Amino acid sequence: MKNKILYTVSIMAMLALFGCGDDSSSGASDAAKKDGDSVESADETTSQLYVFGSDFQSGELRWREDGGISEDYLSYHQDSKIVAVGSNLYVLEGAGADNVSLLDPTTNKVKWQTSLEDYSNPRDIVKLGDKLWVALEGAESFVQISSKDGKVKKTVKTNAFTSKGGTSPNLVDFETSGDTLFALFQRYVYDAETYTSTYPVGLLALYSEGGDLLDTIPLKTRNPMQMKMLDGELYVATQGEYNEFFGTDADSNRGIEKVNLKEKKSELWMSGKKLGGGVAAMVADSVRGNLYVAVYKNWGEVPVVKVNVKKASVETIEGVEDAEGSLAFDAVQGVLYVGDRSKCLLVYNGSTINCVECASNDALLPYGIALVEGAKP
């Protein structure tokens, strides 16, 4: 563990001290009401906030400490994801490291670390029943691991979903509902000569709690990124193929699909034309029936929009420039955290957006955010 000087004033003080230009305003504790729902202050939440920073050469994990952000940090592979599963935090180190670590949120020490297949590139982890499943983007399989020590207990083959010319079916996300595990496959083929990828339509596969394949549902669009269950419905975010400028177009070739699980089919529910581009990330507010969507328009241009599911309305959240640093929603506070790589970590309370932790010369820009339930040390 290393030490670096970082802001250690309370989060509420940060909200008062640090601004984001003309878009900033008073702190989240001012807690305006939105849609009839009040917002608790940041100090009242029982969740523990973690921020993973990366400069694409190195990575660091910091956490909330005594109302501020820790001076201490843990070093990890530059391409890592942090995923909260209940009261546990898992760190998934990407291709080249290919590790899964369990962090104890009461001590911020690693409980165990396990190594997976080389270049398997773990991308997500979920718990279904008493089983932990890890999604592997770079392998033709996914695995069940032990919650006690991380050792692989079962391997499920996915090679049947690999596209011709591809090296894996590119499993990027898991979601669960009841006793069903949903797996999201991009199925792209990478051309090393042109440094480009081609995408067939995405694929959704359904598995039992024990890992048996139940069914598959083809998507309507390409390059799926994430799934979320909201009010018993499954929504799938797709980014679509990139244009000649490596951005995405605001058209009907991407957006948010809604899956009819009874009829085993998916339809484009909200197009990129309405959203403003392809979807890079998505989180759900089940209390208010909203989806928060990071819209990837181009490198460094990733705004966030709020989608009300019942109204099918889209509202841009002003003040976000580059949400490539991930999204996380705190159901206790009713606030959205945004990793804005052009500014800092932002918090949106339903009406205003504020800087929680602005990047310093010491801290790396946010690349991932996670909120661990009931784990405030």
Side-chain angles (χ1 to χ4, degrees), residues 188-204:
Y188 66 82
V189 178
Y190 177 70
D191 188 332
E193 293 185 2
T194 63
Y195 303 103
T196 59
S197 297
T198 55
Y199 296 84
V201 293
L203 181 71
L204 176 67

Side-chain angles (χ1 to χ4, degrees), residues 29-261:
S29 61
D30 293 342
K33 292 185 177 181
K34 186 72 172 178
D35 298 330
D37 295 303
S38 63
V39 180
E40 299 181 23
S41 76
D43 287 338
E44 293 174 354
T45 181
T46 58
S47 296
Q48 171 71 322
L49 173 68
Y50 288 88
V51 180
F52 177 78
S54 177
D55 59 2
F56 306 112
Q57 294 181 332
S58 59
E60 61 185 30
L61 179 66
R62 298 181 188 261
W63 49 88
R64 190 169 167 184
E65 187 173 69
D66 297 327
I69 302 296
S70 65
E71 294 182 8
D72 293 335
Y73 66 83
L74 299 178
S75 294
Y76 283 99
H77 187 263
Q78 56 89 11
D79 182 20
S80 296
K81 289 191 66 176
I82 54 174
V83 182
V85 180
S87 60
N88 292 318
L89 181 75
Y90 295 92
V91 181
L92 312 179
E93 296 183 276
D98 306 291
N99 296 319
V100 178
S101 299
L102 172 62
L103 193 76
D104 184 346
T106 62
T107 63
N108 291 318
K109 294 182 178 179
V110 176
K111 297 177 95 172
W112 53 252
Q113 183 181 79
T114 189
S115 295
L116 302 175
E117 178 186 341
D118 287 349
Y119 294 96
S120 57
N121 197 20
R123 292 288 87 185
D124 197 14
I125 184 169
V126 295
K127 185 175 183 180
L128 182 60
D130 61 351
K131 298 177 176 61
L132 278 176
W133 294 101
V134 181
L136 304 177
E137 194 274 336
E140 291 186 304
S141 61
F142 61 89
V143 294
Q144 178 199 346
I145 64 172
S146 167
S147 60
K148 293 182 179 180
D149 55 20
K151 292 182 179 179
V152 174
K153 300 180 68 175
K154 185 174 184 177
T155 299
V156 177
K157 293 293 185 181
T158 58
N159 54 297
F161 304 139
T162 303
S163 297
K164 184 177 180 180
T167 57
S168 82
N170 317 111
L171 172 57
V172 293
D173 195 35
F174 275 149
E175 183 63 285
T176 62
S177 180
D179 58 0
T180 303
L181 175 68
F182 299 94
L184 190 62
F185 297 94
Q186 292 178 336
R187 304 181 67 239
Y188 66 82
V189 178
Y190 177 70
D191 188 332
E193 293 185 2
T194 63
Y195 303 103
T196 59
S197 297
T198 55
Y199 296 84
V201 293
L203 181 71
L204 176 67
L206 286 65
Y207 292 88
S208 71
E209 185 176 328
D212 297 319
L213 180 64
L214 301 174
D215 216 330
T216 59
I217 302 174
L219 301 179
K220 293 295 184 181
T221 53
R222 307 169 192 270
N223 197 10
M225 304 297 286
Q226 267 187 318
M227 302 175 286
K228 292 298 174 186
M229 292 291 301
L230 182 61
D231 295 333
E233 302 282 359
L234 182 64
Y235 295 88
V236 180
T238 67
Q239 193 161 275
E241 292 188 290
Y242 300 100
N243 57 33
E244 60 181 317
F245 305 106
F246 298 100
T248 68
D249 298 320
D251 59 22
S252 297
N253 295 321
R254 66 206 83 233
I256 302 174
E257 297 195 23
K258 187 176 181 179
V259 182
N260 187 322
L261 296 174

